[in-house]
Structures are given as structure tokens and as C-alpha cells.
Amino acid sequence: MRMPDGSLTIGFIGLGNMGAPMTARLIQAGHRVHAYDVSETARAHAVDLGAVEAATLSEAVTDADVVILMLPNSDIVDAVAGDDAFSRSLKAGALVIDMSSSEPLRTKALADVLARAGIRFIDAPVSGGVTGAVRGTLTIMLGCPPELLERVTPLLELLGRPVRVGDVGAGHAIKALNNLLSATHLWITSEAMVVGQKFGIDPEVMLSVFNSSSGRSGSTENKWPNFILTQTYASGFGLRLMLKDMKIAANLADELGVPSQLGEDAIRHWSAASESLEPTADHTEVARWIQQRAHDSTPE
Ligand code: NAD
């Protein structure tokens, strides 16, 4: 319940790599977080961060002014928010914000279903990774009617920089398109890095030149120097989640009748890497896979 000091009760569902640090920021700002995850370990971690553990989904949302979802995909978002117990437990006037990277057309459909039950549902997916979640510097792509902006902005500003990109579903559309770009950049950057290194150029020198030239991207500025050259491959964003987002973007292009050949090619390449890497592989491991593939194909 909203307190006289303006603090809120927030139901937070999905306490993984992103959800946990986001929860921590909301708690640090003075809000009460009722945290739920199917994983007991994730719930226990949230309690360590200062959250109130919810043993069930209903328990997490019953008193909530706002419910935030930070779940792997639309199938799970639909299962959670489409659950009768979820809509029945919500109090009148509660707002549900899906911050997961979900499918825009399914988001619109879900918002319509929930609207019939009197529940407002908006999307606010993020970019900026685990570091952005920890520091509160996420880019937040907000799909919502203009009249809700004033209500959600102060809350979302605790997590990053909210930008209203359109009505419900628009946030999820732009998020998927962003990750299709990001994944395609990472792939071609990794190929270029392998070629340059085989030619004998120092990888650090290559990155510094790319970063002051037109080839720069998040891959040259962040992923290669921080997670690939260091060989930690620990960005906190799973390869399978990246591939999911790429497919969402390609499906959207298809639904809208827009050809996306390069996008389809990128998905084919990422799928091949995904099939030969561990299910839990970080998405930056594609660079290692590309390097290994180049090594294996070098004639003796
Ligand atoms: P994650 O796999 O680390 O966390 C997801 C959490 O959801 C897990 O703790 C899991 O147990 C929980 N969960 C699954 N099914 C559930 C259910 N039915 N009810 C309650 N909890 C359930 O994933 P993440 O990296 O935190 O990503 C979450 C979302 O954010 C995804 O949609 C992802 O694409 C997006 N995203 C991730 C990053 C990143 O860098 N990790 C960046 C931007 C966006």
C-alpha cells in the first residue's frame, strides 16, 4: 500500500541476474518489495537483499501497488500474468509492469485480456545488462499510454532512464530490435577481430582504433574489452536469452511483412553456436566459439 511518505509495496516476480539487483535498488529507495521466484535460492537471495519473501505468486501481488515482472520470456509472462490467482489477488488500481524482454504482439494481447479484468498492464524492458541493473543506469523502453507516464516515471528512474517509445508493446518491439542489432554487431565484430589477429594486429590496438572510428558499437566498447579479451565471458546475459530476442525481432518483421535477410542470417549463426554451447552459456561466448571455429578451420 502507498504510505504517506510515498513509498510503495511492490510485488517483484523473477529474481534472477537482473531481477535481484533491481529489487535491491527499490528496497534501498525505501519501497517494500514482496519477492517471488520459482527458485528457492533466488527467493532466499532476495531476502538477504531486504525483500519480504513471498511463498506464492498470490502472496507477492496481494498488497502490491505495482507488480514488476522480470521473467525469461512471453510463455512464462503469460503463464504468470494469465494465472487466475494473479488477477484475482491484485487489488483494484494496481499496475503491472513487464520489464522482461517479451514478444510485443503477445504483450498487446495480454494487456487487452487484463484490461477486461480492470488491470493495467504496460511494458518496460531494459538494456544495460547486470551492471546497469546494479548501478541503476538501465535504458528503459516504456510502452504505455501517455497518462501513465507521470505515475511510473519516479519508480522507473530508480532503475535507470525511462523513455516512452509508444503504446503498450512498443517497448518490447524496440527491445527486440535493439538486441538483433547488438547480436549482429557482436558476431561481425568477433569475425573482424579474428581476421585482424590472424594478420598479426594486437587486439587491444584494434579495439582502440574501432572505438574512435565508424566500426564502434557496444561490442567494441564493452563486450570485447570487458568480457572477451579478459576471457571471463561473464556479462550475465545468457546466449539463449539473446537468441530469443533476435527471434522476437525477426518474427515481428515477418508479421509486419518486412524482409530481414541479415537478421535471419544472424539467427542462423547464433543458433549454430547455441546448439554447440552449454544451455547456460553467456552470450559473449559466441566470440570464443567464432575464434575456435576459425582456429579449427586453419589449414596446417
Ligand atoms: P534469469 O534467467 O537470470 O532470471 C529469470 C528468473 O525468473 C529466474 O530466477 C527464474 O527462476 C525465474 N522464473 C522463471 N519462471 C518463473 C515463474 N513461473 N515464476 C516466477 N519466477 C520464474 O534471467 P535474467 O538475465 O534476469 O533476464 C530476465 C529478463 O530480462 C529476460 O527476459 C531477459 O531477456 C531480460 N534481460 C536480461 C539482461 C541481462 O543482461 N541478463 C539484460 C536485459 C534484459
Side-chain angles (χ1 to χ4, degrees):
M1 169 192 310
R2 183 185 279 277
M3 303 298 279
D5 63 1
S7 66
L8 300 168
T9 298
I10 299 168
F12 205 109
I13 320 294
L15 309 163
N17 288 330
M18 295 295 284
M22 290 163 75
T23 295
R25 290 196 65 81
L26 298 171
I27 293 166
Q28 279 154 19
H31 298 299
R32 284 162 309 288
V33 174
H34 294 183
Y36 176 71
D37 194 295
V38 283
S39 152
E40 209 173 301
T41 316
R43 292 201 304 271
H45 178 49
V47 170
D48 289 342
L49 297 171
V52 177
E53 179 175 357
T56 62
L57 184 57
S58 310
E59 212 175 292
V61 305
T62 299
D63 294 321
D65 305 293
V66 175
V67 173
I68 295 179
L69 310 179
M70 198 53 178
L71 294 163
N73 55 45
S74 273
D75 283 348
I76 296 175
V77 168
D78 279 353
V80 166
D83 186 328
D84 270 356
F86 180 85
S87 44
R88 265 190 280 108
S89 306
L90 278 173
K91 65 183 189 187
L95 174 68
V96 182
I97 310 176
D98 182 16
M99 299 193 76
S100 333
S101 303
S102 310
E103 298 173 42
L105 296 171
R106 291 176 72 174
T107 299
K108 283 173 76 153
L110 182 58
D112 287 345
V113 169
L114 291 173
R116 288 198 281 279
I119 297 164
R120 303 208 77 163
F121 181 85
I122 65 174
D123 51 318
V126 304
S127 180
V130 173
T131 309
V134 171
R135 294 186 184 155
T137 55
L138 295 168
T139 296
I140 303 174
M141 304 155 221
L142 190 52
C144 75
E147 69 270 15
L148 283 181
L149 249 190
E150 206 178 315
R151 178 170 171 196
V152 295
T153 299
L155 182 66
L156 294 179
E157 279 178 341
L158 299 171
L159 305 173
R161 187 177 68 92
V163 183
R164 181 178 176 268
V165 295
D167 287 325
V168 173
H172 283 152
I174 197 162
K175 169 64 196 177
L177 292 166
N178 177 75
N179 275 12
L180 180 61
L181 292 180
S182 168
T184 309
H185 294 161
L186 181 56
W187 193 278
I188 195 67
T189 300
S190 303
E191 287 187 354
M193 291 297 291
V194 171
V195 175
Q197 286 177 82
K198 275 206 163 179
F199 195 74
I201 307 173
D202 182 327
E204 307 249 11
V205 170
M206 287 178 75
L207 287 176
S208 96
V209 171
F210 288 151
N211 285 336
S212 59
S213 307
S214 50
R216 74 178 170 279
S217 68
S219 298
T220 59
E221 289 179 334
N222 175 28
K223 295 176 189 185
W224 259 85
N226 294 329
F227 305 114
I228 299 165
L229 281 189
T230 57
Q231 298 189 18
T232 58
Y233 304 99
S235 77
F237 183 43
L239 190 150
R240 291 195 167 186
L241 288 178
M242 177 64 104
L243 188 54
K244 168 207 62 167
D245 292 346
M246 298 168 76
K247 289 179 179 171
I248 293 173
N251 283 344
L252 185 62
D254 194 42
E255 294 272 353
L256 298 175
V258 178
S260 173
Q261 281 96 348
L262 184 53
E264 297 288 351
D265 279 348
I267 289 171
R268 214 162 25 79
H269 296 317
W270 276 78
S271 299
S274 171
E275 277 158 25
S276 67
L277 288 167
E278 291 294 316
T280 53
D282 192 84
H283 80 287
T284 53
E285 287 208 28
V286 287
R288 176 153 58 182
W289 189 81
I290 290 166
Q291 288 171 301
Q292 187 61 45
R293 190 185 59 168
H295 179 262
D296 293 346
S297 64
T298 303
E300 293 298 321

